[in-house]
Amino acid sequence: MATLRDPERGCAWDQVQTLETLAPYTLEEAYEVVDAIERGDLADLQGELGDLLLQVVFQARVAEEAGSFAFDDVVRTICDKLIRRHPHVFEADGSPLADGPERLSLAQLDANWTASKAAERSEKTGRSEHAGGDLLGSVAKALPALTRAEKISRNAARHGFDWPDAASVIAKIREEVDEVADALGRDDPDHLAEEIGDLLFAVVNLARHSGIDPEYSLKRGNIKFERRFHAMAALIAEDGASLDEADLSAMEAAWQRVKRSKA
C-alpha cells in the first residue's frame, strides 16, 4: 500500500484516495462479507475478508501519511481493548489469568461489556452518560436504519424505558398503523414520512423483544418476496401470458398459488 500511494511509483487512483472517499468502499466490502457468510460460501468469504482487510490497511496508510496513526497502532488498540473488556480472561498485562477464566453467565458478560463501553466513552468525552453524556451510547449514524433503531432502543431499555413484553409492542404497532392511516388522509408528505418512521421503529422493537435481528429478518423477507415473485411470473407464463400482460387479479391468483405451495 505504501508503494501504491507513493507519489512517483504508485497508482494514480490510489494516490488520490482519502478517508472520505474510501468510506463507501468499506461499507460495501463489509456487506459482501456478510453476503458470503449467509450463502455459506467459505471460499468466497476468504476473498471478501481480504477485501475488507484492504480497507483497514488502506485507511491506516492514509492516516499514517497524515501523521495520525499507522496499521500497527490499529492492531495494538484492538488488542488493548480486547484485554480491557475481558478481565475474566486476561490479566491487565494481557497474560491469561493464572487460575483460568472466570466463568460468567452470558447476561453477566453482556452487562460487564456494556459497563466497560460506557466507562470508555466517559473517559474519552470526560463526562459520564448520566452527567450530560450520550445516554443512548453514541450509536453510529452510518449504521443501516433498522440496525441503528434496534441499538438505540436496546440502549434506552437499559435505562428502564421499554415495553414490558412483545404483546405490548403489538399494541403500539396497531396504534402507529392507525396514525399512518390518518396521515394518508392529509396532504403532508413530511408528516406521513414521520408516522411511517414511527411504525418501522415500533416493528424493530417487536423484533428486539422477540430475539430477532430486524435487519436479518427483512433480508429474509426480501429474499422470500423475490423467490415468490419469480415463481408467480413462471405460473403466469405457464398459462400462456406474460407478466406485463396479466392484470392484478391474475397476478394475485398466481401469488396465492405460490404461497399455498410453500415456495
Side-chain angles (χ1 to χ4, degrees):
M1 183 52 62
T3 300
L4 289 170
R5 292 278 295 177
D6 186 275
E8 296 180 359
R9 298 180 297 154
C11 166
W13 186 88
D14 294 280
Q15 290 166 349
V16 299
Q17 299 309 306
T18 66
L19 296 179
E20 290 74 19
T21 62
L22 290 172
Y25 297 108
T26 307
L27 285 174
E28 180 181 342
E29 299 300 352
Y31 283 126
E32 291 183 358
V33 166
V34 173
D35 179 64
I37 292 171
E38 291 181 345
R39 288 186 285 105
D41 190 338
L42 295 183
D44 194 32
L45 176 60
Q46 176 181 329
E48 297 301 346
L49 286 172
D51 291 343
L52 183 58
L53 178 58
L54 169 61
Q55 293 302 310
V56 179
V57 173
F58 205 150
Q59 293 185 42
R61 179 62 193 178
V62 173
E64 183 177 6
E65 292 168 0
S68 181
F69 60 83
F71 181 76
D72 286 351
D73 299 313
V74 174
V75 177
R76 187 178 304 109
T77 298
I78 189 58
C79 287
D80 289 345
K81 180 184 290 186
L82 287 172
I83 292 167
R84 185 171 62 250
R85 291 190 181 178
H86 292 82
H88 55 291
V89 177
F90 297 108
E91 301 283 1
D93 62 2
S95 60
L97 291 175
D99 297 330
E102 181 182 359
R103 299 302 176 187
L104 302 175
S105 69
L106 292 179
Q108 290 173 310
L109 291 172
D110 182 64
N112 290 350
W113 184 274
T114 300
S116 176
K117 288 180 66 175
E120 290 168 8
R121 284 193 295 269
S122 297
E123 183 178 350
K124 184 182 296 186
T125 62
R127 54 186 179 177
S128 71
E129 290 182 346
H130 296 283
D134 189 342
L135 293 170
L136 294 176
S138 300
V139 180
K141 291 181 173 58
L143 283 172
L146 289 179
T147 299
R148 190 163 190 268
E150 193 274 342
K151 289 183 177 293
I152 289 172
S153 57
R154 186 179 298 279
N155 288 347
R158 291 193 174 107
H159 295 285
F161 191 70
D162 196 12
W163 290 273
D165 50 40
S168 302
V169 188
I170 290 288
K172 181 63 175 177
I173 289 174
R174 291 194 176 108
E175 174 188 327
E176 297 297 351
V177 168
D178 289 341
E179 292 182 3
V180 168
D182 178 71
L184 283 169
R186 307 184 189 184
D187 185 20
D188 190 342
D190 288 339
H191 177 62
L192 177 59
E194 180 179 330
E195 294 299 343
I196 291 176
D198 290 345
L199 174 59
L200 290 171
F201 193 85
V203 172
V204 166
N205 277 276
L206 175 62
R208 177 175 62 84
H209 269 274
S210 304
I212 302 297
D213 178 353
E215 194 74 26
Y216 175 71
S217 183
L218 182 56
K219 282 183 181 179
R220 291 188 60 179
N222 290 341
I223 291 170
K224 180 195 289 185
F225 180 85
E226 289 173 328
R227 183 177 66 246
R228 288 182 172 178
F229 188 87
H230 288 114
M232 175 191 71
L235 285 178
I236 291 174
E238 288 176 7
D239 292 336
S242 71
L243 196 61
D244 292 335
E245 295 169 341
D247 59 20
L248 184 57
S249 62
M251 286 190 279
E252 177 61 24
W255 182 268
Q256 292 304 322
R257 287 170 61 191
V258 170
K259 287 184 65 176
R260 289 193 295 272
S261 70
K262 306 296 184 183

